Amino acid sequence: MPTPSMEDYIEQIYMLIEAKGYARVSDIAEALHVHPSSVTKMVQKLDKDEYLNYEKYRGLILTPKGKKIGKRLVYRHELLEQFLELIGVNQENIYEDVEGIEHHLSWNSIDRIGDLVQFFEEDAERVKELEAIHQKAED
């Protein structure tokens, strides 16, 4: 299993490739707010662990293993954002909160959160009831 840091890189590489068709070291460094040399070191490690194929000066591509994990990591991030929004977390806190918790939850917990989000989205009345609880708590 990749470390939390490796997950951040895989997730970002996956998103860049999905958006632009490629991911350059400079793009990854900019997105993650790190130095290009740090990206190069991590990319070499991810290559060694078979999450991607990297050729110096030629770029990189995710392996099937890297794509599968990248897709799952993006799903996790988006699901947690959706969950926090659903339960009424202030919009300005959501991104940082997700960044703080996403690596600390098991995939089982992520799947159960997905079930809960689906439960609320299947019936708009449930969402209204939850909002009423929020309102009551604030009053």
Side-chain angles (χ1 to χ4, degrees), residues 69-125:
I69 290 175
K71 185 175 184 175
R72 184 96 164 128
L73 295 171
V74 169
Y75 164 78
R76 176 181 71 186
H77 190 100
E78 290 173 350
L79 176 66
L80 290 171
E81 284 184 349
Q82 190 178 7
F83 173 68
L84 293 179
E85 187 172 326
L86 176 73
I87 63 172
V89 173
N90 293 336
Q91 196 66 40
E92 64 270 12
N93 297 333
I94 290 177
Y95 181 80
E96 288 298 320
D97 287 352
V98 169
E99 287 297 311
I101 64 174
E102 66 183 340
H103 299 295
H104 300 284
L105 295 173
S106 68
W107 285 106
N108 180 251
S109 294
I110 296 297
D111 290 339
R112 297 303 64 83
I113 289 170
D115 294 344
L116 187 60
V117 168
Q118 182 179 352
F119 172 79
F120 277 99
E121 289 185 336
E122 286 175 350
D123 186 345
E125 279 304 308

Side-chain angles (χ1 to χ4, degrees), residues 123-137:
D123 186 345
E125 279 304 308
R126 294 175 185 151
V127 175
K128 289 179 185 175
E129 289 173 21
L130 183 60
E131 289 170 351
I133 292 169
H134 294 156
Q135 191 60 44
K136 187 176 178 182

